[in-house]
Amino acid sequence: MTDTKRIPAFCAQCRSRCGCTAVVEDGRLTGIEPLPDHPTGAKLCPKGRAAPEQVYHADRLTHPMRRTTPKGAGRTEWERISWDTALDEIARRMGEISRDHGAEQVAFGVTTPSGTHISDGIA
Ligand code: SF4
């Protein structure tokens, strides 16, 4: 028998933060449904409803990857690296760019708060 829970939640896939209901079956997220009692939970867009596909998709990246072939080399190849290695390399490279070319050469950008999960970090 399947253990199904319907958990009041909110969608974090854009800054609208729509109220929703997370459907969890045997500990696995299987659906995102509206939460009509929530002020923004009457309807959900396709991106919000696709959360289970995003969580469990076979091609989802769950660890850092380092490119091992130069740009323009044709076939692109990658190798898995640890989070510590990735953070160390990124910090070192950004430090080099800042030191060699000036701090203004380092910038962060997002396309739109409606298209990113990191909108909470946008000042
Ligand atoms: S991605 Fe869609 S469902 Fe999720 S918060 Fe944004 S508008 Fe709402």
Side-chain angles (χ1 to χ4, degrees):
M1 182 171 157
T2 302
D3 175 31
T4 302
K5 294 184 172 71
R6 291 191 139 66
I7 303 169
F10 67 89
C11 175
Q13 298 200 64
C14 82
R15 71 176 173 187
S16 296
R17 299 293 191 254
C18 295
C20 66
T21 303
V23 182
V24 178
E25 296 178 338
D26 292 334
R28 184 179 175 92
L29 178 66
T30 58
I32 297 293
E33 298 175 347
L35 183 62
D37 292 344
H38 189 279
T40 61
K43 304 284 183 186
L44 300 171
C45 80
K47 183 169 64 173
R49 288 182 176 270
E53 298 168 49
Q54 296 172 347
V55 171
Y56 300 115
H57 195 282
D59 291 337
R60 179 184 174 196
L61 288 179
T62 57
H63 46 263
M65 302 292 286
R66 178 197 290 132
R67 186 179 184 143
T68 59
T69 51
K71 290 183 179 176
R75 182 185 164 106
T76 304
E77 296 181 9
W78 305 84
E79 66 179 353
R80 181 176 178 167
I81 59 175
S82 72
W83 285 102
D84 284 345
T85 298
L87 292 170
D88 287 349
E89 288 190 16
I90 291 168
R92 178 185 53 76
R93 184 69 184 119
M94 290 179 74
E96 290 172 356
I97 292 170
S98 178
R99 184 191 66 236
D100 297 345
H101 305 287
E104 67 278 2
Q105 300 303 315
V106 177
F108 297 92
V110 294
T111 54
T112 167
S114 294
T116 176
H117 295 189
I118 64 169
S119 58
D120 288 341
I122 298 172

